[in-house]
Amino acid sequence: MKRYLYHGSIVPNITELITNAKSHDGKSNVLYLTDSLPYSLFYIWDSKHNLKKGKHVTCGIKNGIVCYEEQFENQLKRFYDGVSGYVYVVKNSDDFRQVSDRESMCFSNNNISVSEVIYLPNVYDEIQKYVAEGKIKIISYEQVDRKRIDNLYKHISDRIVKDNLLNTPDCEDALFYRTFFPEAWEDAKELNSRAED
């Protein structure tokens, strides 16, 4: 069992981490943390990258290495360069349980006091340090299988139509998809107009 757990946030001055995330089964509120400091960096998320339904984090941990997969060109840089934030450190304890089928992810049903705070002036620079050390692997947009990208964009287009985002283009989710997935947005417009014919 690792001695410390980590939680990334843009919010300053947190002294206690609160159970404000929905559990994977949706039945309770929990607090999620990771025993991988590099992984916690991807949860330092600024307001211009908000999604109403959660953070758009496209990475996981395999055999101790964080694997980040871009879904559009320069995603990593566009999401994290110039973003500052904090890694909140807590002591691992019996309060935490492993998330099933998720390497290095833990949760607690209790609020937990912060032991230490690490301030990061630029999250992108910190990620690059861990890339150089081999602790983070970046799979660039150009390296991702085109079939996976096509399926993802189709899924996003369907969601845009299903959630009626075309009629609320200034809401958080619509702005997010229009900004970062413009092709999917245009496809959704086409889908919508075909459905109306």
Side-chain angles (χ1 to χ4, degrees):
M1 179 195 282
K2 292 196 179 172
R3 191 167 173 202
Y4 294 104
L5 299 173
Y6 308 97
H7 182 87
S9 176
I10 61 159
V11 179
N13 305 317
I14 295 175
T15 56
E16 184 179 50
L17 295 171
I18 305 210
T19 56
N20 62 358
K22 279 282 173 211
S23 61
H24 286 173
D25 62 12
K27 293 180 180 174
S28 61
N29 281 356
V30 296
L31 166 64
Y32 287 112
L33 294 104
T34 177
D35 63 11
S36 166
L37 196 154
Y39 186 62
S40 72
L41 301 176
F42 293 98
Y43 287 86
I44 301 173
W45 199 258
D46 69 353
S47 59
K48 69 183 176 192
H49 300 134
N50 268 350
L51 252 181
K52 187 178 175 189
K53 295 182 179 175
K55 296 175 179 178
H56 193 82
V57 175
T58 59
C59 63
I61 302 176
K62 293 176 187 171
N63 301 319
I65 296 171
V66 180
C67 298
Y68 184 89
E69 184 176 280
E70 291 189 321
Q71 296 178 338
F72 56 85
E73 201 169 346
N74 294 318
Q75 176 181 323
L76 178 72
K77 193 170 180 73
R78 288 180 73 189
F79 276 3
Y80 296 102
D81 194 18
V83 174
S84 61
Y86 306 85
V87 173
Y88 291 96
V89 183
V90 302
K91 288 182 181 160
N92 203 344
S93 71
D94 293 338
D95 279 337
F96 293 99
R97 286 172 294 206
Q98 189 71 32
V99 175
S100 57
D101 302 324
R102 284 288 195 71
E103 185 178 330
S104 295
M105 288 294 295
C106 303
F107 73 96
S108 174
N109 296 103
N110 302 312
N111 298 342
I112 303 289
S113 293
V114 171
S115 301
E116 182 187 343
V117 182
I118 303 166
Y119 172 69
L120 303 171
N122 189 327
V123 176
Y124 181 77
D125 291 344
E126 195 68 16
I127 289 169
Q128 293 305 320
K129 287 181 197 171
Y130 286 108
V131 169
E133 291 174 13
K135 294 178 180 173
I136 296 176
K137 178 183 177 185
I138 307 299
I139 301 149
S140 72
Y141 176 70
E142 295 75 24
Q143 296 171 305
V144 179
D145 178 67
R146 291 301 96 190
K147 214 174 201 176
R148 276 171 58 88
I149 294 293
D150 290 345
N151 288 337
L152 170 72
Y153 279 49
K154 184 187 180 318
H155 174 75
I156 291 172
S157 297
D158 291 343
R159 180 173 173 190
I160 290 166
V161 172
K162 181 180 156 278
D163 291 355
N164 199 28
L165 297 178
L166 294 168
N167 293 320
T168 55
D170 294 325
C171 76
E172 280 179 356
D173 285 7
L175 286 169
F176 180 89
Y177 291 124
R178 279 173 45 210
T179 302
F180 298 113
F181 296 93
E183 291 169 41
W185 184 265
E186 291 305 313
D187 288 347
K189 282 164 54 173
E190 209 173 291
L191 270 173
N192 199 48
S193 66
R194 281 203 306 260
E196 289 173 350
D197 289 346

